[in-house]
Amino acid sequence: MRKKLDNELVYKTALGFFSRYGYKKTTLEDIADALNMTGSSIYSYASSKQALYYDCISYAIDKWQESVRLASAESSEPARQLLLAFEEAVRYIDSDEQLQLLLRNDPSIFPMFPSVDPIEELNNWAVSFIGDILRRGVECGSFRDIDVDDTAFIIFQIYKYFIISSYVDCSGSRLSVNKHISTIKTLIMDGLLK
C-alpha cells in the first residue's frame, strides 16, 4: 500500500494546474498523473474537483495571509504594522505568479462586490486583522477615534480594488502599480494619523 502524500504537496501540484489552465480545463486525472497516483486515489484528498479547487484556493490565500501577519508582527506600533501589512500583501502577490494566474483565471474568488463570496471566511479574516490593528491604534492614541469596523472594511475594499485592477484586470503597468501603492498608503495613513 502506498503511503499517503502530504496535503501541501497535493495542493501545490493542483494549484499549478488550476492557475495555469483554470478550473474547467484542469482534470483530476492531470493532477493525479503529476503526483504519480491513480485517478481514483486523488479522492482520498478531496471529495470532488470543486472541493480540491477550493482547498487549493484556501491554501494559497492562507499562505498569503500568514505572510502578511508575520510581516506586520515585526513592529508593535499600529501605524507601522498597517504599512508593513499592506506592503507585504502587495509584495507577496507580486512575487507569486501562480496566485496572480489563479485570480486572473477566476476573478470570482476575490470579488469586488460579492453577492456570494466563495472565500468569505478568508476575506473576513483580513478585515478583522485590519480592524485589530486599527483598534490598537485608536486605543494607544496613534489613530484618531474612528469607526474601526467600517474603516477596516473600507481599507480592505480599497486593497481589493488595487489587487483586482493590478493583477486580475492587469490594467496597470509596473510603474502605475507602484504609484498606486504610494498613493494608497498616503491616503490611508494621512487620513488616520493625528
Side-chain angles (χ1 to χ4, degrees):
M1 180 174 200
R2 183 179 167 156
K3 182 181 172 188
K4 189 169 179 181
L5 296 174
D6 180 26
N7 282 349
E8 187 170 5
L9 176 61
V10 174
Y11 296 154
K12 282 181 180 179
T13 303
L15 192 59
F17 282 94
F18 288 130
S19 63
R20 204 169 350 171
Y21 304 113
Y23 176 78
K24 289 182 181 178
K25 292 183 181 175
T26 297
T27 68
L28 289 178
E29 290 75 24
D30 293 333
I31 297 165
D33 286 347
L35 292 165
N36 295 317
M37 64 172 57
T38 64
S40 61
S41 61
I42 196 81
Y43 288 102
S44 64
Y45 298 92
S47 60
S48 66
K49 177 177 153 181
Q50 184 178 32
L52 181 59
Y53 181 64
Y54 284 110
D55 287 346
C56 287
I57 291 169
S58 293
Y59 169 77
I61 302 293
D62 281 341
K63 284 179 47 182
W64 187 9
Q65 290 177 339
E66 179 65 7
S67 179
V68 169
R69 190 191 63 71
L70 290 173
S72 71
E74 293 176 12
S75 176
S76 60
E77 205 283 305
R80 182 78 182 128
Q81 285 181 322
L82 194 58
L83 284 174
L84 287 170
F86 181 76
E87 288 168 353
E88 178 58 18
V90 172
R91 186 214 59 79
Y92 186 91
I93 193 169
D94 199 48
S95 68
D96 190 334
E97 290 182 32
Q98 275 191 336
L99 184 56
Q100 291 175 36
L101 284 171
L102 188 66
L103 293 174
R104 198 169 303 134
N105 284 331
D106 187 358
S108 72
I109 62 175
F110 204 58
M112 189 65 208
F113 303 108
S115 56
V116 175
D117 184 350
I119 59 168
E120 183 176 15
E121 185 178 317
L122 297 168
N123 284 332
N124 288 345
W125 177 90
V127 173
S128 177
F129 177 76
I130 294 166
D132 290 344
I133 294 173
L134 295 174
R135 200 168 283 102
R136 285 192 303 276
V138 169
E139 288 168 0
C140 76
S142 294
F143 299 153
R144 67 180 88 187
D145 190 17
I146 54 172
D147 180 325
V148 169
D149 295 331
D150 193 43
T151 304
F153 176 78
I154 290 168
I155 289 173
F156 186 66
Q157 289 301 101
I158 292 168
Y159 172 72
K160 278 175 56 172
Y161 175 76
F162 168 78
I163 294 301
I164 290 167
S165 65
S166 300
Y167 298 100
V168 177
D169 290 347
C170 298
S171 59
S173 68
R174 199 68 234 134
L175 184 61
S176 69
V177 168
N178 289 333
K179 183 179 177 193
H180 290 330
I181 292 169
S182 177
T183 301
I184 290 168
K185 287 192 300 190
T186 300
L187 284 172
I188 290 171
M189 297 313 294
D190 288 348
L192 293 173
L193 296 175
K194 285 185 176 178

